[in-house]
Amino acid sequence: MKLRELLLLGELKKGKILTNEIGLDNEVETAMVLEAIDIENWSKQNQLILTSFYALNDLSEKELEDFFIKMCQIGISGLVLKTDRFIKVIPEWFIELCFKYEIPLIKISQEISYEKILLTIYEPLLNAHAHTLRTYYEARQRFNRLEKQFSSLETIMQEFYQIIELPFSLKLLDKEIEICEGMIPTDAIVLSRESLPQTDFMKNDYSLLTLYAQTDSKKRYALEIAIFNNYSLNCLLLVYLNNQQIKETDLVIIENAIDALQEKFNTESLLKKERYTRLNNLADAILQNTPRNPEELDSLLQEAHMQSKDTYQTIVFSTKEMQTQLMKNRILTLLRTLKKEAIFFDQHQYSAVLFNFAQSEGPITKDQISRLMVEILAENQQVTFAISQAKPRQEIKELLFECLDILNFNTSFYNGPVVSSEDIGIFKHFIRENQIATLQEAIPLKLAQLAQTDYDLFETFYCFLQHNRNYKQTAEAMFLHAKTIRYRLHKISNYLSIDLTNPLQMINHEIGAYIIKMRRQANERNQTTTR
């Protein structure tokens, strides 16, 4: 209760305000009779001090200054000074100190007892507290009923609106959920934001927003509360006020609503975790431990709602690097937009998504993934996506291992951030037979020496192969004159002892060049990862 409101009640109406309007809007929560100057040991914030001037009369100027400084530091609401038969007039210098330190001073005559003054103060305070407590327990009972009924978010917030009778907006930004009730300004801008001090009834952090609505050019006010929970990473409640004054009863209603929301969020989080575990186990059983019995496989697919279409495809990405782990949910969310029917599962070092679609829809392509993941790939150069071929139901067991082979190959022979089964080509046979190490033997000896001794010449040869052995296109790609390219390739031909027009010789050296290039790219990438 504010001091000016108390001064209109009971015995306090007989008091005389000696400091004009100073501090009359101070909050008063408690009162205390003080007859000693060690106020720091007995008093607290928002307390009204009752004392006689006799207790302060013999203090030195410094002691009085210290007394007033302590009152300011504590946050005393005001002084009620009672005169007695020895001291009937409060000195001007004392009143000046009250003005200086902005401590409201109320003079009470000696006929009024401290008991009557305390009763005047505590009766409305106790009534206000009783009203607040009644509001708290009534709101708690109503929300408890909803919790027992496992009510939806919408039902909880409708109950909240009926109790508080103020417009509100609840936003779960990461879930794209917004629940609103009442007349909410749609074009309001925030002029200021002020943190509210904690009270006995507050567990959450509140901010008082001053808003400006452009449609009617009026100021409005709202309470903003960030609700931290396991279900939504960005949950915000805005309650729009009728004026700048914040009722304690509104705060206890909001606190009860937040408790109900937290309970709902905890339930949803547990259900989400259970669904995740169940679906993760299902996907693992389908992709990694694929049953040989077709009926058992059909049963698993049916349980996962992945049996309605005739074609399956898998995309896998490595999660070994910490940066990719932090992006995992973003990546999975994007991947699941590619096809309607999708299920994923996580392993220690990778995540896999299985898609089910009609053959007529066409498979997911490398270009689709590259476009979809353009921001992810720009932020994280270590992530690699492996795309399987599209296969019928009876070949589901091959999908995951095909992708893992691609990731394994890309670790040793880097072929880009998005790699399909077609990109691996003949190399898949080396992977399946665990013969990746023997690929080094497929590199012609002189070509390997050229890459080690003169990498610029090797790059010219590699670029020549990439551009269909076309001199002009190679020159344009390397920003060199065509004669320079011809000179270099003639030099390479002599060094390698090959005929650049001989198809068989060129095939062997082309395979070798791609192996060298991919191995070098993989080594550079691995070095970047370990830095």
Side-chain angles (χ1 to χ4, degrees):
M1 182 174 285
K2 294 190 181 301
L3 180 58
R4 70 168 69 249
E5 296 170 344
L6 275 177
L7 295 178
L8 298 174
L9 303 174
E11 297 296 331
L12 287 174
K13 288 193 293 186
K14 300 176 183 179
K16 183 179 180 181
I17 303 170
L18 302 181
T19 47
N20 300 330
E21 291 289 314
I22 285 177
L24 293 185
D25 286 323
N26 289 350
E27 291 290 336
V28 179
E29 295 177 355
T30 59
M32 183 181 71
V33 178
L34 185 73
E35 294 297 348
I37 64 169
D38 55 343
I39 190 172
E40 69 276 11
N41 295 326
W42 310 105
S43 195
K44 61 181 181 179
Q45 187 178 13
N46 295 340
Q47 190 170 69
L48 192 63
I49 299 298
L50 313 180
T51 188
S52 66
F53 188 75
Y54 187 80
L56 307 171
N57 192 37
D58 294 330
L59 296 180
S60 67
E61 184 177 336
K62 183 179 183 308
E63 287 174 326
L64 271 171
E65 286 272 359
D66 290 342
F67 179 73
F68 273 87
I69 290 170
K70 290 174 186 177
M71 283 197 291
C72 287
Q73 291 172 343
I74 294 168
I76 296 300
S77 302
L79 274 175
V80 176
L81 211 59
K82 186 179 177 182
T83 56
D84 56 26
R85 59 194 176 93
F86 298 107
I87 301 172
K88 297 185 181 294
V89 179
I90 299 173
E92 284 297 324
W93 56 265
F94 188 85
I95 298 173
E96 287 175 6
L97 279 174
C98 289
F99 273 107
K100 178 180 177 180
Y101 290 98
E102 297 186 352
I103 302 292
L105 178 62
I106 300 93
K107 177 185 174 183
I108 294 291
S109 66
Q110 64 177 359
E111 292 81 16
I112 303 173
S113 67
Y114 284 137
E115 288 81 0
K116 288 182 179 180
I117 297 172
L118 289 172
L119 183 61
T120 299
I121 293 171
Y122 274 109
E123 188 174 19
L125 289 176
L126 290 172
N127 289 339
H129 279 300
H131 177 57
T132 302
L133 287 171
R134 279 197 304 273
T135 303
Y136 174 87
Y137 286 114
E138 287 171 4
R140 183 70 264 161
Q141 287 177 343
R142 292 176 70 166
F143 284 118
N144 274 341
R145 284 196 294 270
L146 295 182
E147 289 174 19
K148 290 176 182 177
Q149 296 167 3
F150 301 101
S151 300
S152 65
L153 283 177
E154 289 77 9
T155 303
I156 293 171
M157 297 315 293
Q158 284 170 8
E159 187 78 4
F160 171 66
Y161 183 59
Q162 290 175 10
I163 300 172
I164 201 165
E165 297 181 345
L166 291 173
F168 76 86
S169 169
L170 176 69
K171 298 179 181 179
L172 283 67
L173 300 179
D174 55 324
K175 305 289 184 184
E176 297 183 352
I177 295 173
E178 182 173 5
I179 303 171
C180 303
E181 290 286 354
M183 297 294 292
I184 295 173
T186 56
D187 60 347
I189 58 173
V190 178
L191 297 179
S192 66
R193 176 183 275 102
E194 176 189 353
S195 296
L196 293 188
Q198 287 285 326
T199 69
D200 293 339
F201 293 100
M202 291 164 58
K203 293 185 294 185
N204 297 279
D205 295 327
Y206 290 70
S207 295
L208 177 63
L209 307 185
T210 302
L211 308 172
Y212 176 77
Q214 300 180 47
T215 50
D216 55 11
S217 302
K218 288 184 178 179
K219 276 188 180 181
R220 286 184 169 82
Y221 301 93
L223 288 174
E224 180 186 70
I225 312 101
I227 305 175
F228 299 99
N229 60 88
N230 294 327
Y231 178 67
S232 172
L233 297 176
N234 200 335
C235 180
L236 200 65
L237 175 63
L238 282 171
V239 180
Y240 296 85
L241 307 174
N242 294 325
N243 51 58
Q244 197 172 2
Q245 301 302 317
I246 303 166
K247 297 179 183 177
E248 203 163 46
T249 50
D250 288 343
L251 291 176
V252 300
I253 293 169
I254 293 170
E255 286 290 331
N256 273 286
I258 292 174
D259 285 346
L261 288 172
Q262 291 284 21
E263 187 67 28
K264 179 64 179 176
F265 292 148
N266 287 338
T267 301
E268 289 297 322
S269 181
L270 287 172
L271 290 173
K272 181 181 177 183
K273 192 172 182 178
E274 288 177 7
R275 284 196 297 268
Y276 165 82
T277 302
R278 182 174 62 84
L279 291 175
N280 197 65
N281 291 339
L282 263 177
D284 178 74
I286 292 167
L287 280 172
Q288 187 158 257
N289 299 294
T290 312
R292 295 182 180 180
N293 187 329
E295 292 181 359
E296 188 178 344
L297 176 59
D298 286 345
S299 176
L300 291 174
L301 291 171
Q302 187 172 0
E303 187 178 351
H305 304 290
M306 295 284 288
Q307 83 289 3
S308 60
K309 308 293 175 58
D310 57 6
T311 305
Y312 295 86
Q313 191 175 13
T314 297
I315 295 176
V316 176
F317 61 96
S318 172
T319 55
K320 291 179 183 178
E321 298 81 16
M322 179 58 70
Q323 189 177 3
T324 309
Q325 289 180 20
L326 295 173
M327 300 175 119
K328 185 175 69 175
N329 289 336
R330 276 177 63 194
I331 294 172
L332 289 170
T333 300
L334 287 171
L335 287 176
R336 294 181 72 173
T337 63
L338 291 168
K339 301 287 184 183
K340 187 176 180 181
E341 281 81 21
I343 187 172
F344 74 91
F345 83 102
D346 291 322
Q347 286 288 3
H348 179 59
Q349 294 187 327
Y350 65 86
S351 291
V353 183
L354 173 67
F355 299 93
N356 178 220
F357 51 92
Q359 189 176 10
S360 57
E361 294 179 36
I364 298 165
T365 65
K366 182 177 175 179
D367 287 342
Q368 278 181 281
I369 300 297
S370 298
R371 289 194 301 270
L372 184 67
M373 297 295 169
V374 63
E375 291 185 7
I376 296 289
L377 294 172
E379 295 174 31
N380 182 2
Q381 296 180 358
Q382 302 306 317
V383 64
T384 300
F385 296 91
I387 310 172
S388 76
Q389 294 179 316
K391 296 181 182 291
R393 183 175 307 183
Q394 58 268 27
E395 297 179 29
I396 280 181
K397 63 181 180 181
E398 298 178 16
L399 297 175
L400 175 63
F401 297 105
E402 187 176 305
C403 288
L404 294 178
D405 285 345
I406 293 170
L407 289 180
N408 186 27
F409 179 82
N410 216 46
T411 301
S412 301
F413 301 95
Y414 186 67
N415 198 32
V418 183
V419 187
S420 67
S421 181
E422 288 76 12
D423 291 330
I424 301 300
I426 64 168
F427 297 120
K428 67 180 65 173
H429 301 290
F430 290 88
I431 301 170
R432 287 175 183 173
E433 296 176 14
N434 293 319
Q435 296 295 317
I436 291 181
T438 63
L439 282 174
Q440 197 70 26
E441 299 173 9
I443 303 172
L445 181 59
K446 287 190 175 180
L447 181 63
Q449 291 172 347
L450 177 66
Q452 289 179 352
T453 57
D454 195 336
Y455 195 74
D456 286 341
L457 276 184
F458 172 80
E459 279 285 354
T460 304
F461 182 60
Y462 179 76
C463 189
F464 180 63
L465 297 173
Q466 277 195 312
H467 291 86
N468 300 314
R469 305 171 198 176
N470 185 295
Y471 289 89
K472 183 180 178 183
Q473 290 178 10
T474 304
E476 290 173 354
M478 298 190 73
F479 302 100
L480 295 171
H481 196 278
K483 287 185 178 179
T484 303
I485 295 298
R486 287 186 179 275
Y487 169 76
R488 287 188 178 185
L489 288 170
H490 179 71
K491 188 176 179 181
I492 291 166
S493 174
N494 289 336
Y495 182 85
L496 298 177
S497 302
I498 61 170
D499 180 358
L500 298 182
T501 62
N502 185 311
L504 186 59
Q505 288 182 339
M506 288 303 291
I507 286 175
N508 290 333
H509 284 77
E510 186 167 357
I511 292 172
Y514 279 110
I515 293 172
I516 291 171
K517 185 68 175 178
M518 289 189 294
R519 171 70 82 181
R520 185 182 180 92
Q521 289 173 337
N523 289 338
E524 290 174 350
R525 188 166 179 267
N526 292 335
Q527 288 172 6
T528 303
T529 304
T530 55
R531 282 174 190 169

